[in-house]
Amino acid sequence: MLGLGDTYVEAAGLFVAAAGLGVAAYWAVARRRSARLRPAGPVTVQVRNSAGVYIGDHGHQQNFFRVDVPAAMWASLVTLVASVLAVGAGWLYLGWFKPSFAPNYRTQFLVDTAETTDRADLGAVTTALSKAVGNSGDHDALALRRFGGECGASNNTTSLTGFGTGDRRPLVTAASGLRAGGKPTLVRGIVEAVEDFSKPLGGKARQVDRIIVVTRHGADACDDDTAYVEREIRERVGAAGLALEFRVIGYQVPDGQHAELEQITTAVKAPPPLYAANPADLERAVDWYSNVEPVLHSAAVIVDTLNATVTNVNTAVDAVVNGRLDVADATLAQAKRAADDTGAQFADLTDRVKTADAREVHDRAVRLREQQQRVVAAASELLATARAGSPLEPPLQRFRLVAADYNSEVNALNQVLAALRAKLTAGP
């Protein structure tokens, strides 16, 4: 979503573009009008840099003054107008059009392809990625990068697919072609993954930019100075200027390397790593971060926002009962405006209804919003009744009933979300 700075960019872009278009339009109209008014044939009288023409029987004279402008000045004026239009169009694109079409999430999978004692385990990673990508949101931009190779080599981490929405086949194909080899170069992989997010004109996601790391090693073979590793990662992430989120999954990571992996996870300000001991755990962990966590996030925002609006409605109802109709009117208006702040979250939930859990969360969230709208309508009816001087008890009773129904919907949705969170640690 656009922030305050983006609003200033929009305003500046609109102003500059409008000014440029105005100058260009005025210039074109003035030239056409001058050409239309310039006499083609009748008697003319030269007065220095002017031309006079007599029009009609009454001998009315019009004078046309000509100003000779050097070719270089005309070229400069044309260049200035074109530059103003180009800058204005650029501001409009970057500040308005591009954010409007930005993906909900930008997610890069960073996968460990370094050598291990069991090469078959890389197949489990490929399978988990393919399933998670198939359930991803329609407007998620997904990318894939691998790490693993020789220390100092330029190819010890490689971007396999750039960020893309829609067709997921290129990413699935790239994942199926992963081959094990080399040493674990986890730090270099993270650093280059951050760089992928900070490329010029790369844009930002509407909701979250994130990197999901799937590693089979906890220690980096090339950078064993943990303090240096933490400092390097923090500096690169800070230099990117993005609010990047990291999620780390350790698949069959040796117990002796857990501490190193947790230090690296702390350096990127990520939650503690999820450790997966078998392919089933791995699939659950990858899908959790890829698809379940966004559903939980959007649902939580919806519940918090709608609860806040209902709190305002309750305040407005209390004000009506106490005869403070001015306070009730202002508070109710605020609640109505706040209720429209969940559009992005509902759109994201709609994009993710590819699993039974996501569909249930979406459907319950829709019912909760509908019930919240009934609460607002009942409070509005109560306020109108008070202004008319009619008895308040009938509409007040109706408000209490719809408010109770809303609370029931909130409890039901919260129970669904709690059960969904518990699935992460549940057995297969």
Side-chain angles (χ1 to χ4, degrees), residues 11 16 53 62 75 122 127 134 146 152 169 209 216-217 246 258 264 308 358 396 401 414 426:
V16 173
V53 59
Q62 287 186 351
L122 195 54
T127 301
R146 54 156 291 277
R169 286 175 296 181
D209 290 298
R216 300 183 297 164
H217 300 82
F246 285 84
H258 283 198
I264 293 175
L396 185 58
L401 290 175
N414 283 333

Side-chain angles (χ1 to χ4, degrees), residues 403-415:
D405 290 341
Y406 173 84
N407 291 332
S408 297
E409 289 290 347
V410 170
N411 292 335
L413 179 54
N414 283 333
Q415 289 175 4

Side-chain angles (χ1 to χ4, degrees), residues 10-272:
E10 294 168 22
L14 287 170
F15 176 81
V16 173
L21 289 173
V23 170
Y26 177 83
W27 181 33
V29 170
R31 287 179 61 85
R32 291 186 62 185
R33 183 180 180 188
S34 176
R36 186 172 61 251
L37 294 178
R38 188 175 296 115
V43 178
T44 61
V45 179
Q46 295 293 333
V47 183
R48 291 189 179 182
N49 286 332
S50 71
V53 59
Y54 286 96
I55 303 175
D57 296 336
H58 299 286
H60 176 67
Q61 178 176 310
Q62 287 186 351
N63 290 327
F64 301 92
F65 293 91
R66 185 181 67 220
V67 178
D68 293 327
V69 179
M73 185 174 293
W74 276 117
S76 299
L77 180 60
V78 171
T79 301
L80 175 62
V81 172
S83 299
V84 169
L85 290 174
V87 172
W91 265 331
L92 282 173
Y93 173 72
L94 294 175
W96 180 265
F97 295 108
K98 194 174 192 332
S100 298
F101 294 99
N104 293 332
Y105 278 69
R106 278 201 309 166
T107 302
Q108 182 172 81
F109 297 99
L110 178 61
V111 177
D112 180 0
T113 60
E115 192 71 60
T116 64
T117 56
D118 186 359
R119 291 176 179 241
D121 288 342
L122 195 54
V125 175
T126 298
T127 301
L129 281 177
S130 299
K131 290 184 177 180
V133 167
N135 291 329
S136 64
D138 293 334
H139 291 87
D140 285 3
L142 306 180
L144 177 64
R145 172 178 282 275
R146 54 156 291 277
F147 69 87
E150 298 306 315
C151 298
S154 60
N155 64 346
N156 62 20
T157 179
T158 307
S159 175
L160 301 178
T161 64
F163 292 103
T165 57
D167 189 2
R168 308 302 190 188
R169 286 175 296 181
L171 194 151
V172 173
T173 300
S176 63
L178 293 175
R179 297 293 181 267
K183 302 173 182 177
T185 54
L186 175 58
V187 173
R188 174 81 191 287
I190 291 176
V191 169
E192 293 301 321
V194 172
E195 294 293 332
D196 292 337
F197 282 85
S198 56
K199 291 180 178 178
L201 303 179
K204 298 179 181 180
R206 287 188 177 190
Q207 297 192 50
V208 179
D209 290 298
R210 60 186 183 162
I211 296 173
I212 298 177
V213 182
V214 181
T215 180
R216 300 183 297 164
H217 300 82
D220 190 296
C222 305
D223 293 294
D224 57 0
D225 184 346
T226 304
Y228 165 77
V229 170
E230 291 184 23
R231 184 171 59 254
E232 180 74 7
I233 293 174
R234 283 189 179 129
E235 289 177 357
R236 293 300 184 100
V237 171
L242 294 172
L244 274 174
E245 292 186 1
F246 285 84
R247 299 293 184 265
V248 180
I249 301 170
Y251 177 49
Q252 296 182 343
V253 173
D255 292 341
Q257 296 182 15
H258 283 198
E260 291 93 335
L261 183 59
E262 288 161 11
Q263 286 178 323
I264 293 175
T265 303
T266 300
V268 297
K269 299 181 180 179

Side-chain angles (χ1 to χ4, degrees), residues 361-410:
V361 172
H362 171 269
D363 293 346
R364 287 193 175 276
V366 169
R367 288 201 293 271
L368 181 63
R369 180 173 59 178
E370 292 172 348
Q371 193 60 41
Q372 183 263 357
Q373 291 169 348
R374 295 188 184 99
V375 170
V376 173
S380 300
E381 179 191 4
L382 179 65
L383 178 57
T385 301
R387 283 176 173 160
S390 301
L392 295 181
E393 189 55 35
L396 185 58
Q397 183 62 28
R398 286 192 289 273
F399 171 80
R400 288 168 179 161
L401 290 175
V402 296
D405 290 341
Y406 173 84
N407 291 332
S408 297
E409 289 290 347
V410 170

